Amino acid sequence: ETGVTQTPRHLVMGMTNKKSLKCEQHLGHNAMYWYKQSAKKPLELMFVYNFKEQTENNSVPSRFSPECPNSSHLFLHLHTLQPEDSALYLCASSQGGGASTDTQYFGPGTRLTVL
Amino acid sequence: AQKITQTQPGMFVQEKEAVTLDCTYDTSDPSYGLFWYKQPSSGEMIFLIYQGSYDQQNATEGRYSLNFQKARKSANLVISASQLGDSAMYFCAMRGLTTSGTYKYIFGTGTRLKVLA
């Protein structure tokens, strides 16, 4: 595997379900990000992790719970979601550590539908 | 506050022609980075090109070049010799800082480019 991978690619869930999105980066990076992209809305930053520590929570509802067990893996745990949470969820990674050429690379995204 | 503005919701270009996608930014940081990403209908965000705020030369990557005008705070993307596969959404982004001093990225609203045969 190379780059940034995300599983599953598509997910349909009911409002009472609990599911998790997984992101893995094979780039040796130290920073990881979750974004939400809804139709006709700008890309919304949700969470930032640097060296496994959360450094940004952009006022995300508690029904979204991130987990970063190591610098290569990032999870987004979902529970009691609402239909308006249906969106494309993108994971990204970057070098982190203050590198002046820090550049984000994205995974293919998980398209989530909440019924 | 840091902000990225893309004023062109949609653009058309004839195949093999060049096209310029506009991006302006606002930041008070002396050091920053500017990026362009391509998002095809599949959804993946593909990194295209990077320009550092202290770079003297405009960045180029194959058919992509970034027209960086620091005084005007603009970072336009130029795609030369457009191809049908260039049809996609294009996002301009800027690297900024979180409140804890680590990096975060601010994205514009995007420009949808359609290449005509």
Side-chain angles (χ1 to χ4, degrees), chain B residues 39-57:
Chain B
Q39 188 178 41
S41 56
S42 60
E44 183 172 3
M45 295 279 274
I46 302 166
F47 165 68
L48 295 178
I49 195 165
Y50 163 77
Q51 178 84 43
S53 59
Y54 291 121
D55 293 343
Q56 297 294 317
Q57 305 276 354

Side-chain angles (χ1 to χ4, degrees), chain A residues 1-5 23-33 71-73 91-96 103-107, chain B residues 37 44-45 47:
Chain A
E1 292 276 20
T2 58
V4 182
T5 59
C23 175
E24 184 173 0
Q25 59 93 4
H26 308 268
L27 299 169
H29 289 166
N30 296 299
M32 297 190 79
Y33 311 75
S71 291
S72 298
H73 294 86
C91 173
S93 71
S94 72
Q95 295 96 314
T103 300
Q104 272 189 334
Y105 293 88
F106 284 81
Chain B
Y37 289 85
E44 183 172 3
M45 295 279 274
F47 165 68

Side-chain angles (χ1 to χ4, degrees), chain B residues 11 13 17 20 27-28 33-34 37 43 51 57 64 75 80 105 116:
Chain B
M11 292 275 289
V13 64
E17 298 289 314
T20 298
T27 182
S28 55
L34 296 159
Y37 289 85
Q51 178 84 43
Q57 305 276 354
Y64 305 108
S80 62
Y105 289 73
L116 305 173

